[in-house]
Amino acid sequence: DAVTCSGNGEPTLHPDFPALVEGVIYLRNKYRPRLKIALLSNSTGLEREDVRRAVMKLDLPVFKLDAGTEKTFRRINRPAAGVRFEEIVSHLQALGHVYLQTILVDGVPANTDPDEILAYFELVREIRPRGVHIYSTDRPAPSARISRVDPEWLEEIASQLRTETDIPAAAFYAGKT
């Protein structure tokens, strides 16, 4: 259904990402003009203006946002030095036509307490994405102190997000059809 740019690592960090996007668009237009082009990104490459311009040409740019606060972002994502939460949020706001993908986890660390969820909803409201995909881990977590969020809770959070922001949101989990 789509050509998806993801890969082993963050695709937007590739030094030639904009040229690669142009190449994929050229090939799509030549051979499969109705095919969508998607991107799965952890949002860290958005500091480059040429990357942001290239992202605007994609049909389905999907960016990670796993927290509503800087503190939780640092605990959940453990970003590389120099990656700043407020810059990621600012770039996502400026892009506007993106989708957000969010993993929710319980335990230590967690991003599911009520204050964190409310802060997350506020960021979603500010970013105004085209849609939000919420999920939890279905694979073994990197720590025994982390656990998955029950599907019923994921559905409830997605429902609350739709109600409070008027932005399409869906929960994804194993076994959902």
Side-chain angles (χ1 to χ4, degrees):
D1 294 339
V3 171
T4 303
C5 304
S6 61
N8 185 13
E10 171 53 32
T12 62
L13 295 180
H14 191 286
D16 295 321
F17 178 78
L20 294 170
V21 166
E22 291 298 330
V24 171
I25 290 171
Y26 170 80
L27 292 171
R28 184 271 313 266
N29 291 346
K30 183 173 181 177
Y31 296 107
R32 298 281 306 273
R34 293 190 177 118
L35 197 65
K36 301 285 187 199
I37 301 173
L39 169 69
L40 301 178
S41 172
N42 69 10
S43 305
T44 58
L46 292 175
E47 75 275 356
R48 288 177 40 201
E49 185 177 339
D50 62 337
V51 167
R52 293 191 305 273
R53 282 194 309 268
V55 164
M56 296 299 290
K57 298 174 183 179
L58 301 174
D59 303 301
L60 302 166
V62 180
F63 289 93
K64 295 283 287 168
L65 182 67
D66 297 330
T69 64
E70 171 86 27
K71 179 181 176 184
T72 301
F73 169 73
R74 298 233 164 261
R75 293 181 73 204
I76 296 287
N77 296 113
R78 299 180 304 180
V83 174
R84 296 187 24 200
F85 180 69
E86 60 274 1
E87 284 182 9
I88 289 172
V89 171
S90 176
H91 292 313
L92 291 172
Q93 285 174 305
L95 286 173
H97 85 294
V98 302
Y99 292 86
L100 296 180
Q101 183 182 66
T102 301
I103 189 167
L104 296 175
V105 292
D106 281 330
V108 179
N111 56 354
T112 52
D113 71 65
D115 289 340
E116 182 62 29
I117 293 293
L118 289 176
Y120 171 77
F121 284 7
E122 184 57 34
L123 286 183
V124 171
R125 193 177 290 111
E126 292 172 12
I127 293 168
R128 303 289 315 158
R130 290 165 46 188
V132 179
H133 304 158
I134 297 173
Y135 67 104
S136 192
T137 182
D138 285 321
R139 294 180 273 181
S143 166
R145 296 170 41 171
I146 298 173
S147 61
R148 71 188 285 254
V149 174
D150 288 329
E152 297 81 21
W153 195 8
L154 290 176
E155 291 285 1
E156 177 61 29
I157 292 169
S159 176
Q160 287 177 357
L161 182 59
R162 287 189 301 272
T163 299
E164 293 189 25
T165 66
D166 200 32
I167 294 170
F172 293 86
Y173 45 87
K176 182 176 181 178
T177 56

